[in-house]
């Protein structure tokens, strides 16, 4: 499974975004039994996009970025698609969501 | 959209209400000289929307119907909307020099919109759809709605369910097949007499045992069960005198009242939270956040008026060129624009909610309001400094107009002869009302306690400070943690 990662600019991040993405990749492997490949640019075989935001503003959530052939999910370490939740729940939501990711 | 005149007439068309002021029942609030300035003030939110030169800020396209609506009834669809809200509030604050009251409804609608959506997602309720239908009517009828939050609270060390009198917080006393019955009161209700509807919210985070207090609902302001007791303001009875000069702000003013819910029936279609205690805190935090943003607009507009009054009185006194006067006015401007910067910042850093509307940045909104609890007081102090002691010792307008002594008042009240004694008199009265008279209720005390007292903001600032992230920054910089970058 390959997913696209789009980080925010990180101007005032409240947590380590890179470390958090690593946690997601590890959780994916643990739960699904396969590696999660991360792409930082658009590619043919991407199943889903993750906007990894450092704070609640989620500034990269713009239509010009989301204009891809796959679903996007906007996350921080305490929210999934703007719903507040704890870190473990965010990771679980992400793994569930990208597992269902299908190219449009 | 309603015109200002239609708005004023719409208040006349409300059913008779139990409104008490100075111990007497008020039969005609619209024409009561102590109430009318606050109605004029709220009417300005309608008037400016009529005028082409203000429509870009005063109106918006409804997210629900696509119709052009007054921005005061708008669901914020972007950070640009949030910014325009602050600019609108500054504008109306400039045009009235007082609290125009309508922002509480706008702030409540945006908070209830997103919170009901999230309650429904968790519990499968249908509050959001109910609220959507209510909001469509609200937009179409261009209502002024009182966002109604603050309970009497009784003994502040006890939660609602432990109070000696359970009515000290609004609560459900009966659930029926067709709706609920609520009892209690809300304090300090800004503009409630001038509102068509009342949107009630809980006042604080609640625990599971306080389900009866976790209630959000709307009722018409002319519901027969409601009782209103009008709040006194400093110097308020000057509005009953023959002359308007001593009032200072001659047409506009603010308004607060207590509202009592004396076993008020609410049909289910107007109930938007009923026992979901875990969402009371979210609703309070969001409403308070929006309202704390509001103060970065309205109080700045009022501040513009006071700064203008201070600069004008300096000229009338003949001291405008004194360097210390110039410096004090610069300081007033700096403080005022700092508040505006906070209002704009928390808007620019706003975010989308799961329901789709936009929420301000909670941390920055609380910083904004924390500054508002301080800076208007300093601006007011500087205004009084520049005005001189005469701002508090000037004879009444009746003395100025007295055939016997009027000429003495005019002779000795003159400053720079380029300006009349009456101009000086009026400007001083404006500074007086904004810094210690009726308008100071809105400009100062409301700045202190409105949208939550200073400590309420400090609690939120602490909660959102994320000190762990800041400590991690420090640990890396001083070498405790590894720096993997360079």
């Amino acid at each position: 499974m390959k997913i696209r990662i789009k980080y925010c600019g990180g101007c005032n991040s409240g947590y380590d975004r890179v470390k958090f993405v690593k946690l997601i990749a590890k959780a994916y492997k643990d739960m699904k039994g396969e590696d999660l490949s991360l792409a930082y640019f658009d590619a043919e075989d991407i199943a889903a996009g993750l906007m990894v935001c450092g704070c609640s503003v989620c500034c990269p959530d713009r239509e010009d970025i989301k204009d891809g052939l796959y679903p996007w999910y906007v996350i921080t370490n305490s929210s999934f698609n703007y719903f507040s939740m704890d870190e473990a729940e965010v990771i679980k939501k992400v793994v569930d969501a990208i597992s269902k990711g299908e190219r449009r | 959209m309603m015109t200002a005149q239609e708005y004023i007439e719409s208040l006349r068309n409300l059913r008779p209400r139990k409104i008490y002021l100075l111990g007497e029942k008020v039969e005609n609030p619209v024409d009561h000289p102590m109430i009318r300035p606050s109605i004029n003030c709220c009417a300005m939110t309608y008037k400016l929307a009529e005028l082409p030169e203000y429509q870009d800020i005063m109106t918006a396209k409804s997210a629900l119907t696509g119709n052009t609506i007054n921005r005061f009834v708008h669901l914020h669809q972007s950070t640009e909307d949030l910014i325009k809200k602050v600019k609108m509030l500054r504008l109306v604050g400039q045009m009235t020099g007082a609290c125009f009251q309508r922002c509480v409804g706008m702030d409540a609608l945006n908070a209830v919109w997103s919170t009901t959506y999230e309650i429904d997602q968790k519990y499968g309720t249908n509050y959001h759809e109910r609220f959507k239908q209510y909001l469509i009517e609200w937009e179409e009828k261009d209502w002024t709605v009182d966002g109604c939050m603050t309970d009497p609270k009784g003994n502040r060390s006890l939660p609602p369910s432990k109070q000696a009198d359970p009515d000290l917080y609004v609560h459900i006393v009966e659930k029926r097949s067709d709706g609920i019955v609520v009892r209690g009161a809300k304090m300090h209700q800004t503009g409630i007499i001038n509102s068509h509807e009342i949107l009630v919210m809980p006042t604080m985070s609640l625990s599971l045992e306080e389900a009866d207090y976790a209630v959000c609902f709307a009722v018409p302001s002319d519901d027969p069960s409601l009782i209103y007791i009008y709040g006194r303001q400093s110097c308020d009875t000057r509005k009953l005198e023959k002359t308007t000069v001593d009032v200072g702000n001659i047409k506009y003013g603010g308004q607060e009242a207590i509202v009592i819910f004396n076993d008020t029936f609410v049909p289910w279609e107007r109930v938007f939270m009923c026992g979901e205690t875990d969402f009371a805190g979210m609703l309070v935090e969001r409403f308070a956040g929006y309202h704390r943003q509001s103060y970065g607009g309205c109080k700045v507009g009022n501040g513009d008026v006071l700064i203008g009054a201070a600069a004008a009185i300096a000229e009338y006194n003949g001291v405008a060129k004194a360097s210390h006067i110039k410096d004090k006015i610069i300081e007033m401007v700096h403080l005022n624009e700092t508040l505006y910067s906070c209002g704009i910042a928390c808007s620019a850093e706003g975010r989308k909610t799961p329901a789709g509307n936009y929420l301000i940045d909670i941390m920055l909104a609380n910083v904004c309001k924390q500054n508002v609890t301080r800076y208007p007081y300093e601006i007011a102090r500087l205004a009084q400094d520049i005005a001189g002691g005469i701002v508090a010792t000037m004879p009444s307008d009746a003395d100025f107009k007295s055939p016997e002594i009027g000429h003495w008042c005019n002779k000795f009240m003159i400053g720079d002869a380029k300006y009349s004694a009456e101009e000086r008199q009026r400007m001083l009265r404006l500074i007086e009302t904004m810094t210690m008279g009726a308008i100071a209720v809105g400009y100062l005390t409301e700045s202190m306690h409105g949208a939550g007292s200073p400590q309420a903001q400090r609690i939120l600032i602490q909660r959102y400070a994320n000190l762990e992230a800041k400590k991690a920054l420090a640990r890396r910089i001083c070498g405790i943690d590894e720096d993997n970058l360079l």
Side-chain angles (χ1 to χ4, degrees):
Chain A
M1 168 78 75
K2 183 188 281 187
I3 63 167
R4 166 94 187 271
I5 298 291
K6 169 66 185 172
Y7 287 111
C8 72
C11 65
N12 190 24
S13 186
Y15 67 104
D16 187 330
R17 293 165 298 152
V18 176
K19 197 168 153 189
F20 189 55
V21 168
K22 284 179 183 164
L23 285 176
I24 290 170
K26 182 177 180 308
Y28 185 84
K29 172 128 196 195
D30 292 346
M31 291 163 74
K32 303 294 174 186
E34 63 170 300
D35 285 332
L36 190 63
S37 169
L38 307 178
Y40 299 98
F41 299 96
D42 216 352
E44 282 297 312
D45 51 350
I46 287 173
L50 272 190
M51 290 187 179
V52 185
C53 308
C55 75
S56 65
V57 176
C58 299
C59 56
D61 183 8
R62 303 191 309 267
E63 290 307 314
D64 59 318
I65 294 175
K66 287 202 285 194
D67 188 22
L69 293 169
Y70 38 85
W72 279 95
Y73 304 100
V74 184
I75 64 165
T76 70
N77 69 337
S78 60
S79 69
F80 178 85
N81 282 351
Y82 300 100
F83 282 98
S84 297
M85 57 192 72
D86 64 30
E87 186 174 282
E89 204 174 349
V90 176
I91 293 171
K92 184 174 181 310
K93 283 262 186 194
V94 169
V95 171
D96 287 347
I98 61 179
S99 302
K100 294 174 197 155
E102 289 177 5
R103 292 177 70 84
R104 284 193 282 268
Chain B
M1 290 187 292
M2 270 197 279
T3 65
Q5 201 52 45
E6 286 168 343
Y7 162 67
I8 292 168
E9 291 308 309
S10 73
L11 297 179
R12 293 188 201 282
N13 295 333
L14 295 174
R15 289 173 289 180
R17 290 175 289 169
K18 295 172 199 145
I19 301 169
Y20 293 87
L21 169 56
L22 298 177
E24 293 179 356
K25 193 173 175 194
V26 178
E27 301 297 341
N28 175 10
V30 176
D31 298 310
H32 193 290
M34 281 174 63
I35 301 177
R36 185 54 183 264
S38 65
I39 293 174
N40 291 340
C41 214
C42 191
M44 186 63 80
T45 68
Y46 292 88
K47 186 67 196 175
L48 295 175
E50 291 176 47
L51 303 175
E53 62 267 40
Y54 298 116
Q55 281 173 352
D56 186 59
I57 274 186
M58 295 299 301
T59 64
K61 185 179 173 186
S62 166
L64 303 178
T65 65
N67 296 332
T68 299
I69 54 172
N70 193 303
R71 187 173 294 281
F72 276 96
V73 302
H74 184 47
L75 282 167
H76 311 302
Q77 296 299 300
S78 60
T79 52
E80 185 188 357
D81 269 350
L82 291 169
I83 290 169
K84 280 192 168 180
K85 172 198 164 185
V86 172
K87 294 184 175 189
M88 172 178 74
L89 300 186
R90 183 172 189 170
L91 169 67
V92 188
Q94 289 174 339
M95 302 305 261
T96 57
C99 168
F100 39 88
Q101 311 136 45
R102 204 176 173 194
C103 56
V104 283
M106 172 177 47
D107 295 338
L109 82 84
N110 275 281
V112 174
W113 177 264
S114 61
T115 304
T116 52
Y117 183 86
E118 291 182 50
I119 298 174
D120 289 357
Q121 292 292 311
K122 181 168 180 182
Y123 291 113
T125 45
N126 70 334
Y127 297 129
H128 190 66
E129 180 58 29
R130 285 180 196 169
F131 189 69
K132 182 180 176 185
Q133 295 310 314
Y134 178 64
L135 186 52
I136 288 171
E137 188 176 353
W138 181 344
E139 284 186 0
E140 284 175 357
K141 294 184 174 168
D142 204 7
W143 282 330
T144 289
V145 176
D146 173 55
C148 194
M149 181 164 277
T150 309
D151 290 278
K153 297 195 186 99
N155 182 340
R156 271 68 172 165
S157 68
L158 297 173
S161 61
K162 299 286 191 297
Q163 296 288 331
D165 180 350
D167 299 343
L168 289 169
Y169 287 79
V170 169
H171 62 118
I172 301 162
V173 292
E174 187 184 355
K175 284 184 186 170
R176 300 179 358 194
S177 60
D178 53 349
I180 58 174
V181 177
V182 296
R183 188 185 299 157
K186 294 284 188 181
M187 314 296 283
H188 327 297
Q189 287 312 297
T190 298
I192 195 166
I193 310 289
N194 305 343
S195 298
H196 305 96
E197 289 272 322
I198 303 171
L199 177 54
V200 176
M201 298 163 282
T203 203
M204 62 196 293
S205 297
L206 296 166
S207 55
L208 273 175
E209 58 268 31
E210 270 134 7
D212 286 343
Y213 297 88
V215 61
C216 175
F217 60 90
V219 287
S221 65
D222 58 359
D223 186 286
S225 70
L226 302 178
I227 300 163
Y228 299 96
I229 307 172
Y230 206 89
R232 287 217 73 166
Q233 296 179 332
S234 174
C235 309
D236 52 5
T237 50
R238 288 192 191 184
K239 293 170 187 166
L240 303 176
E241 296 172 6
K242 286 179 190 166
T243 175
T244 59
V245 173
D246 287 350
V247 174
N249 184 332
I250 63 170
K251 275 192 183 170
Y252 307 106
Q255 171 200 107
E256 273 80 27
I258 298 171
V259 58
I260 296 162
F261 298 88
N262 191 19
D263 288 350
T264 302
F265 172 72
V266 188
W268 282 115
E269 61 264 28
R270 290 289 192 258
V271 177
F272 311 121
M273 175 190 284
C274 187
E276 293 80 8
T277 51
D278 48 338
F279 283 90
M282 176 188 285
L283 181 51
V284 172
E285 183 177 301
R286 290 184 180 178
F287 171 75
Y290 282 122
H291 211 42
R292 289 167 193 174
Q293 169 211 27
S294 292
Y295 280 51
C298 65
K299 301 308 175 203
V300 179
N302 291 172
D304 289 327
V305 174
L306 185 55
I307 291 166
I313 202 65
E315 290 175 6
Y316 300 176
N317 290 347
V319 297
K321 289 182 180 163
S323 61
H324 72 98
I325 297 290
K326 285 183 190 170
D327 192 57
K328 283 166 186 162
I329 290 172
I330 290 167
E331 178 66 6
M332 293 168 82
V333 173
H334 163 243
L335 293 168
N336 206 41
E337 298 299 337
T338 301
L339 299 180
Y340 184 57
S341 305
C342 292
I344 294 295
C346 70
S347 307
E349 289 284 89
R351 67 168 175 92
K352 195 158 65 177
T353 69
N357 63 331
Y358 272 66
L359 180 68
I360 38 55
D361 183 279
I362 296 285
M363 165 67 100
L364 296 184
N366 279 276
V367 169
C368 176
K369 175 62 194 6
Q370 180 78 185
N371 286 335
V372 172
T373 66
R374 301 171 181 172
Y375 295 178
Y377 284 88
E378 179 63 9
I379 293 169
R381 190 186 73 80
L382 290 165
Q384 288 195 358
D385 181 349
I386 293 167
I390 193 68
V391 73
T393 63
M394 185 168 54
S396 72
D397 192 50
D399 293 319
F400 276 85
K401 294 195 167 59
S402 162
E404 283 180 55
I405 57 168
H407 67 287
W408 290 117
C409 292
N410 282 288
K411 176 183 171 69
F412 291 116
M413 271 297 296
I414 204 73
D416 184 329
K418 280 190 288 191
Y419 306 96
S420 68
E422 184 179 335
E423 284 175 279
R424 189 160 176 252
Q425 180 195 4
R426 283 181 180 271
M427 201 59 76
L428 286 165
R429 286 294 177 213
L430 176 57
I431 293 170
E432 180 196 31
T433 192
M434 293 193 78
T435 60
M436 58 182 136
I439 300 296
V441 173
Y443 187 59
L444 297 181
T445 313
E446 196 175 283
S447 289
M448 175 73 84
H449 293 292
S453 303
Q455 190 58 23
Q457 291 111 55
R458 299 183 82 80
I459 290 166
L460 267 294
I461 289 169
Q462 180 190 34
R463 189 184 303 166
Y464 281 87
N466 197 351
L467 292 179
E468 290 308 314
K470 295 182 198 311
K471 282 192 270 184
L473 294 174
R475 290 171 68 88
R476 184 183 137 264
I477 292 292
C478 75
I480 296 173
D481 290 345
E482 205 168 327
D483 181 348
N484 295 319
L485 295 178
L486 290 172

PDB file of all heavy atoms in Angstrom, chain B residues 46-66:
ATOM      1  N   TYR B  46     -28.720  46.421  11.022  1.00  0.00           N
ATOM      2  CA  TYR B  46     -29.613  46.306   9.861  1.00  0.00           C
ATOM      3  C   TYR B  46     -29.372  47.469   8.891  1.00  0.00           C
ATOM      4  O   TYR B  46     -29.355  47.290   7.682  1.00  0.00           O
ATOM      5  CB  TYR B  46     -31.081  46.327  10.315  1.00  0.00           C
ATOM      6  CG  TYR B  46     -31.482  45.101  11.103  1.00  0.00           C
ATOM      7  CD1 TYR B  46     -31.317  45.051  12.486  1.00  0.00           C
ATOM      8  CD2 TYR B  46     -32.020  43.985  10.467  1.00  0.00           C
ATOM      9  CE1 TYR B  46     -31.671  43.927  13.216  1.00  0.00           C
ATOM     10  CE2 TYR B  46     -32.392  42.852  11.184  1.00  0.00           C
ATOM     11  CZ  TYR B  46     -32.216  42.829  12.559  1.00  0.00           C
ATOM     12  OH  TYR B  46     -32.558  41.720  13.273  1.00  0.00           O
ATOM     13  N   LYS B  47     -29.202  48.664   9.466  1.00  0.00           N
ATOM     14  CA  LYS B  47     -29.060  49.859   8.623  1.00  0.00           C
ATOM     15  C   LYS B  47     -27.845  49.756   7.702  1.00  0.00           C
ATOM     16  O   LYS B  47     -27.935  50.035   6.500  1.00  0.00           O
ATOM     17  CB  LYS B  47     -28.934  51.106   9.516  1.00  0.00           C
ATOM     18  CG  LYS B  47     -28.919  52.410   8.742  1.00  0.00           C
ATOM     19  CD  LYS B  47     -30.272  52.655   8.083  1.00  0.00           C
ATOM     20  CE  LYS B  47     -30.228  53.698   7.003  1.00  0.00           C
ATOM     21  NZ  LYS B  47     -31.533  53.822   6.313  1.00  0.00           N
ATOM     22  N   LEU B  48     -26.717  49.352   8.274  1.00  0.00           N
ATOM     23  CA  LEU B  48     -25.490  49.305   7.462  1.00  0.00           C
ATOM     24  C   LEU B  48     -25.601  48.266   6.347  1.00  0.00           C
ATOM     25  O   LEU B  48     -25.012  48.433   5.276  1.00  0.00           O
ATOM     26  CB  LEU B  48     -24.272  49.026   8.351  1.00  0.00           C
ATOM     27  CG  LEU B  48     -23.939  50.130   9.362  1.00  0.00           C
ATOM     28  CD1 LEU B  48     -22.789  49.704  10.266  1.00  0.00           C
ATOM     29  CD2 LEU B  48     -23.589  51.446   8.664  1.00  0.00           C
ATOM     30  N   ALA B  49     -26.390  47.201   6.608  1.00  0.00           N
ATOM     31  CA  ALA B  49     -26.569  46.173   5.573  1.00  0.00           C
ATOM     32  C   ALA B  49     -27.430  46.690   4.416  1.00  0.00           C
ATOM     33  O   ALA B  49     -27.423  46.120   3.324  1.00  0.00           O
ATOM     34  CB  ALA B  49     -27.195  44.928   6.176  1.00  0.00           C
ATOM     35  N   GLU B  50     -28.163  47.766   4.669  1.00  0.00           N
ATOM     36  CA  GLU B  50     -28.976  48.359   3.600  1.00  0.00           C
ATOM     37  C   GLU B  50     -28.124  49.177   2.636  1.00  0.00           C
ATOM     38  O   GLU B  50     -28.518  49.411   1.497  1.00  0.00           O
ATOM     39  CB  GLU B  50     -30.009  49.338   4.195  1.00  0.00           C
ATOM     40  CG  GLU B  50     -31.121  48.735   5.008  1.00  0.00           C
ATOM     41  CD  GLU B  50     -31.983  49.861   5.589  1.00  0.00           C
ATOM     42  OE1 GLU B  50     -32.352  50.791   4.856  1.00  0.00           O
ATOM     43  OE2 GLU B  50     -32.265  49.804   6.801  1.00  0.00           O
ATOM     44  N   LEU B  51     -26.988  49.655   3.122  1.00  0.00           N
ATOM     45  CA  LEU B  51     -26.228  50.657   2.377  1.00  0.00           C
ATOM     46  C   LEU B  51     -25.171  50.008   1.485  1.00  0.00           C
ATOM     47  O   LEU B  51     -24.342  49.228   1.982  1.00  0.00           O
ATOM     48  CB  LEU B  51     -25.559  51.627   3.360  1.00  0.00           C
ATOM     49  CG  LEU B  51     -26.534  52.336   4.308  1.00  0.00           C
ATOM     50  CD1 LEU B  51     -25.774  53.175   5.326  1.00  0.00           C
ATOM     51  CD2 LEU B  51     -27.529  53.202   3.539  1.00  0.00           C
ATOM     52  N   PRO B  52     -25.167  50.319   0.192  1.00  0.00           N
ATOM     53  CA  PRO B  52     -24.224  49.677  -0.732  1.00  0.00           C
ATOM     54  C   PRO B  52     -22.769  49.820  -0.285  1.00  0.00           C
ATOM     55  O   PRO B  52     -21.969  48.901  -0.488  1.00  0.00           O
ATOM     56  CB  PRO B  52     -24.448  50.427  -2.053  1.00  0.00           C
ATOM     57  CG  PRO B  52     -25.788  51.041  -1.937  1.00  0.00           C
ATOM     58  CD  PRO B  52     -26.029  51.302  -0.480  1.00  0.00           C
ATOM     59  N   GLU B  53     -22.456  50.925   0.347  1.00  0.00           N
ATOM     60  CA  GLU B  53     -21.051  51.145   0.710  1.00  0.00           C
ATOM     61  C   GLU B  53     -20.569  50.249   1.851  1.00  0.00           C
ATOM     62  O   GLU B  53     -19.381  50.231   2.158  1.00  0.00           O
ATOM     63  CB  GLU B  53     -20.803  52.620   1.050  1.00  0.00           C
ATOM     64  CG  GLU B  53     -21.578  53.159   2.240  1.00  0.00           C
ATOM     65  CD  GLU B  53     -22.893  53.808   1.855  1.00  0.00           C
ATOM     66  OE1 GLU B  53     -23.577  53.270   0.968  1.00  0.00           O
ATOM     67  OE2 GLU B  53     -23.269  54.835   2.465  1.00  0.00           O
ATOM     68  N   TYR B  54     -21.487  49.530   2.489  1.00  0.00           N
ATOM     69  CA  TYR B  54     -21.071  48.622   3.565  1.00  0.00           C
ATOM     70  C   TYR B  54     -21.435  47.159   3.295  1.00  0.00           C
ATOM     71  O   TYR B  54     -21.152  46.286   4.116  1.00  0.00           O
ATOM     72  CB  TYR B  54     -21.708  49.064   4.895  1.00  0.00           C
ATOM     73  CG  TYR B  54     -21.273  50.449   5.332  1.00  0.00           C
ATOM     74  CD1 TYR B  54     -22.185  51.482   5.417  1.00  0.00           C
ATOM     75  CD2 TYR B  54     -19.941  50.708   5.624  1.00  0.00           C
ATOM     76  CE1 TYR B  54     -21.781  52.757   5.789  1.00  0.00           C
ATOM     77  CE2 TYR B  54     -19.531  51.975   6.001  1.00  0.00           C
ATOM     78  CZ  TYR B  54     -20.459  52.990   6.084  1.00  0.00           C
ATOM     79  OH  TYR B  54     -20.056  54.241   6.460  1.00  0.00           O
ATOM     80  N   GLN B  55     -22.080  46.903   2.170  1.00  0.00           N
ATOM     81  CA  GLN B  55     -22.637  45.565   1.965  1.00  0.00           C
ATOM     82  C   GLN B  55     -21.583  44.473   1.813  1.00  0.00           C
ATOM     83  O   GLN B  55     -21.839  43.315   2.144  1.00  0.00           O
ATOM     84  CB  GLN B  55     -23.595  45.563   0.765  1.00  0.00           C
ATOM     85  CG  GLN B  55     -24.956  46.136   1.168  1.00  0.00           C
ATOM     86  CD  GLN B  55     -25.904  46.331   0.013  1.00  0.00           C
ATOM     87  OE1 GLN B  55     -25.522  46.184  -1.142  1.00  0.00           O
ATOM     88  NE2 GLN B  55     -27.141  46.682   0.332  1.00  0.00           N
ATOM     89  N   ASP B  56     -20.403  44.817   1.340  1.00  0.00           N
ATOM     90  CA  ASP B  56     -19.381  43.784   1.178  1.00  0.00           C
ATOM     91  C   ASP B  56     -19.012  43.148   2.517  1.00  0.00           C
ATOM     92  O   ASP B  56     -18.708  41.959   2.600  1.00  0.00           O
ATOM     93  CB  ASP B  56     -18.117  44.367   0.525  1.00  0.00           C
ATOM     94  CG  ASP B  56     -17.111  43.267   0.217  1.00  0.00           C
ATOM     95  OD1 ASP B  56     -17.469  42.349  -0.534  1.00  0.00           O
ATOM     96  OD2 ASP B  56     -15.987  43.313   0.754  1.00  0.00           O
ATOM     97  N   ILE B  57     -19.087  43.959   3.556  1.00  0.00           N
ATOM     98  CA  ILE B  57     -18.785  43.427   4.885  1.00  0.00           C
ATOM     99  C   ILE B  57     -20.058  42.996   5.612  1.00  0.00           C
ATOM    100  O   ILE B  57     -20.070  41.994   6.317  1.00  0.00           O
ATOM    101  CB  ILE B  57     -18.024  44.489   5.711  1.00  0.00           C
ATOM    102  CG1 ILE B  57     -16.530  44.376   5.403  1.00  0.00           C
ATOM    103  CG2 ILE B  57     -18.253  44.329   7.203  1.00  0.00           C
ATOM    104  CD1 ILE B  57     -15.644  45.240   6.234  1.00  0.00           C
ATOM    105  N   MET B  58     -21.136  43.718   5.410  1.00  0.00           N
ATOM    106  CA  MET B  58     -22.335  43.498   6.222  1.00  0.00           C
ATOM    107  C   MET B  58     -23.218  42.346   5.736  1.00  0.00           C
ATOM    108  O   MET B  58     -24.131  41.930   6.451  1.00  0.00           O
ATOM    109  CB  MET B  58     -23.186  44.778   6.271  1.00  0.00           C
ATOM    110  CG  MET B  58     -22.523  45.950   6.967  1.00  0.00           C
ATOM    111  SD  MET B  58     -22.106  45.651   8.705  1.00  0.00           S
ATOM    112  CE  MET B  58     -23.710  45.279   9.396  1.00  0.00           C
ATOM    113  N   THR B  59     -22.988  41.882   4.529  1.00  0.00           N
ATOM    114  CA  THR B  59     -23.824  40.794   4.014  1.00  0.00           C
ATOM    115  C   THR B  59     -22.962  39.608   3.594  1.00  0.00           C
ATOM    116  O   THR B  59     -21.751  39.730   3.431  1.00  0.00           O
ATOM    117  CB  THR B  59     -24.673  41.256   2.806  1.00  0.00           C
ATOM    118  OG1 THR B  59     -23.804  41.602   1.735  1.00  0.00           O
ATOM    119  CG2 THR B  59     -25.546  42.442   3.161  1.00  0.00           C
ATOM    120  N   ALA B  60     -23.622  38.478   3.410  1.00  0.00           N
ATOM    121  CA  ALA B  60     -22.922  37.257   2.998  1.00  0.00           C
ATOM    122  C   ALA B  60     -23.903  36.391   2.218  1.00  0.00           C
ATOM    123  O   ALA B  60     -25.117  36.641   2.219  1.00  0.00           O
ATOM    124  CB  ALA B  60     -22.410  36.508   4.227  1.00  0.00           C
ATOM    125  N   LYS B  61     -23.362  35.380   1.549  1.00  0.00           N
ATOM    126  CA  LYS B  61     -24.215  34.431   0.835  1.00  0.00           C
ATOM    127  C   LYS B  61     -24.487  33.247   1.753  1.00  0.00           C
ATOM    128  O   LYS B  61     -23.548  32.605   2.239  1.00  0.00           O
ATOM    129  CB  LYS B  61     -23.514  33.977  -0.449  1.00  0.00           C
ATOM    130  CG  LYS B  61     -24.368  33.090  -1.318  1.00  0.00           C
ATOM    131  CD  LYS B  61     -23.593  32.721  -2.584  1.00  0.00           C
ATOM    132  CE  LYS B  61     -24.366  31.688  -3.386  1.00  0.00           C
ATOM    133  NZ  LYS B  61     -23.581  31.208  -4.531  1.00  0.00           N
ATOM    134  N   SER B  62     -25.748  32.970   1.982  1.00  0.00           N
ATOM    135  CA  SER B  62     -26.111  31.894   2.900  1.00  0.00           C
ATOM    136  C   SER B  62     -25.563  30.556   2.426  1.00  0.00           C
ATOM    137  O   SER B  62     -25.714  30.190   1.257  1.00  0.00           O
ATOM    138  CB  SER B  62     -27.632  31.802   3.027  1.00  0.00           C
ATOM    139  OG  SER B  62     -27.992  30.586   3.645  1.00  0.00           O
ATOM    140  N   ALA B  63     -24.979  29.810   3.362  1.00  0.00           N
ATOM    141  CA  ALA B  63     -24.508  28.462   3.049  1.00  0.00           C
ATOM    142  C   ALA B  63     -25.679  27.488   2.959  1.00  0.00           C
ATOM    143  O   ALA B  63     -25.540  26.392   2.436  1.00  0.00           O
ATOM    144  CB  ALA B  63     -23.537  27.993   4.133  1.00  0.00           C
ATOM    145  N   LEU B  64     -26.836  27.913   3.464  1.00  0.00           N
ATOM    146  CA  LEU B  64     -27.994  27.013   3.507  1.00  0.00           C
ATOM    147  C   LEU B  64     -28.936  27.221   2.335  1.00  0.00           C
ATOM    148  O   LEU B  64     -29.520  26.278   1.827  1.00  0.00           O
ATOM    149  CB  LEU B  64     -28.765  27.219   4.827  1.00  0.00           C
ATOM    150  CG  LEU B  64     -27.954  27.021   6.103  1.00  0.00           C
ATOM    151  CD1 LEU B  64     -28.813  27.307   7.329  1.00  0.00           C
ATOM    152  CD2 LEU B  64     -27.414  25.606   6.170  1.00  0.00           C
ATOM    153  N   THR B  65     -29.103  28.479   1.918  1.00  0.00           N
ATOM    154  CA  THR B  65     -30.097  28.768   0.875  1.00  0.00           C
ATOM    155  C   THR B  65     -29.497  29.453  -0.345  1.00  0.00           C
ATOM    156  O   THR B  65     -30.163  29.530  -1.381  1.00  0.00           O
ATOM    157  CB  THR B  65     -31.207  29.693   1.426  1.00  0.00           C
ATOM    158  OG1 THR B  65     -30.613  30.975   1.745  1.00  0.00           O
ATOM    159  CG2 THR B  65     -31.846  29.108   2.676  1.00  0.00           C
ATOM    160  N   GLY B  66     -28.296  29.968  -0.225  1.00  0.00           N
ATOM    161  CA  GLY B  66     -27.697  30.722  -1.324  1.00  0.00           C
ATOM    162  C   GLY B  66     -28.175  32.161  -1.395  1.00  0.00           C
ATOM    163  O   GLY B  66     -27.709  32.945  -2.224  1.00  0.00           O
TER     164      GLY B  66
END
